[in-house]
C-alpha cells in the first residue's frame, strides 16, 4: 500500500546500501520532503516504489559503479511518513473503525442447575 504523496515529510529509516561504496547522501533519522513518488523500473534493481526528495537531486548515476540512471529515486521502504503526534497516531489504531461492525463477544456457556 502506498501511503506516500508529493509534499509529504518523511524520515529516513535505512541509509545502508549493500555492495555500494559511493555515498548515497541520505542519512538515517534525517527528515526529507517528497517531490516525486511512483513506480520505478531499473534493470538491476527491478521494479519498486520510488521516492525523489526535494533536498536531494542525485544527478546522473554514470560513475564507475553507476547504472546510467538520471536522478534515480530511492526505494520508498527506506522511509516512513513523519508523525508529529506519535501517541495520537497510536490512539487512532485503537479506535474502532466506523465501517467495521463491532465484534460480538462470545457468550460464556451457561451451566445447568443440578437438582440435589
Amino acid at each position: 500500500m502506498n501511503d506516500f504523496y508529493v509534499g509529504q515529510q518523511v524520515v529516513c529509516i535505512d541509509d545502508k546500501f549493500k555492495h555500494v561504496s559511493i555515498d548515497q547522501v541520505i542519512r538515517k533519522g534525517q527528515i526529507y520532503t517528497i517531490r516525486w513518488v511512483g513506480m520505478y523500473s531499473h534493470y538491476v534493481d527491478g521494479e519498486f516504489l520510488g521516492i525523489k526528495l526535494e533536498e536531494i537531486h542525485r544527478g546522473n548515476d554514470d560513475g564507475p559503479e553507476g547504472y546510467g540512471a538520471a536522478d534515480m529515486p530511492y526505494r520508498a521502504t527506506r522511509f516512513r511518513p513523519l508523525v508529529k503526534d506519535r501517541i495520537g497516531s497510536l490512539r487512532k489504531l485503537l479506535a474502532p473503525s466506523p465501517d467495521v461492525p463491532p465484534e460480538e463477544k462470545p457468550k460464556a456457556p451457561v451451566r445447568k442447575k443440578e437438582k440435589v
Side-chain angles (χ1 to χ4, degrees), residues 3-65:
D3 291 332
F4 298 104
Y5 56 88
V6 173
Q8 180 182 29
Q9 288 191 312
V10 293
V11 176
C12 177
I13 57 172
D14 179 15
D15 63 356
K16 303 292 184 221
F17 291 78
K18 293 180 183 178
H19 313 295
V20 177
S21 62
I22 298 171
D23 182 19
Q24 298 299 308
V25 188
I26 60 173
R27 299 289 179 261
K28 187 174 183 176
Q30 185 70 37
I31 298 171
Y32 300 99
T33 307
I34 296 175
R35 68 177 159 93
W36 178 89
V37 62
M39 293 307 294
Y40 187 79
S41 183
H42 192 272
Y43 72 95
V44 173
D45 296 330
E47 188 172 36
F48 59 89
L49 180 63
I51 290 178
K52 293 182 184 183
L53 306 169
E54 285 288 343
E55 296 80 4
I56 300 171
H57 291 268
R58 295 178 83 181
N60 290 334
D61 189 21
D62 53 7
E65 295 179 5

Side-chain angles (χ1 to χ4, degrees), residues 40-103:
Y40 187 79
S41 183
H42 192 272
Y43 72 95
V44 173
D45 296 330
E47 188 172 36
F48 59 89
L49 180 63
I51 290 178
K52 293 182 184 183
L53 306 169
E54 285 288 343
E55 296 80 4
I56 300 171
H57 291 268
R58 295 178 83 181
N60 290 334
D61 189 21
D62 53 7
E65 295 179 5
Y67 302 118
D71 195 25
M72 186 171 160
Y74 296 102
R75 284 185 181 273
T77 56
R78 294 185 176 279
F79 303 90
R80 70 164 173 76
L82 179 64
V83 179
K84 294 181 181 177
D85 181 13
R86 292 183 182 180
I87 293 175
S89 65
L90 292 173
R91 283 189 189 119
K92 288 179 188 174
L93 293 174
L94 296 173
S97 174
D99 299 336
V100 179
E103 293 183 29

Side-chain angles (χ1 to χ4, degrees), residues 101-116:
E103 293 183 29
E104 290 185 24
K105 293 182 181 178
K107 294 181 181 178
V110 178
R111 217 167 116 178
K112 295 180 181 178
K113 291 186 177 181
E114 294 180 18
K115 292 183 181 179
V116 200

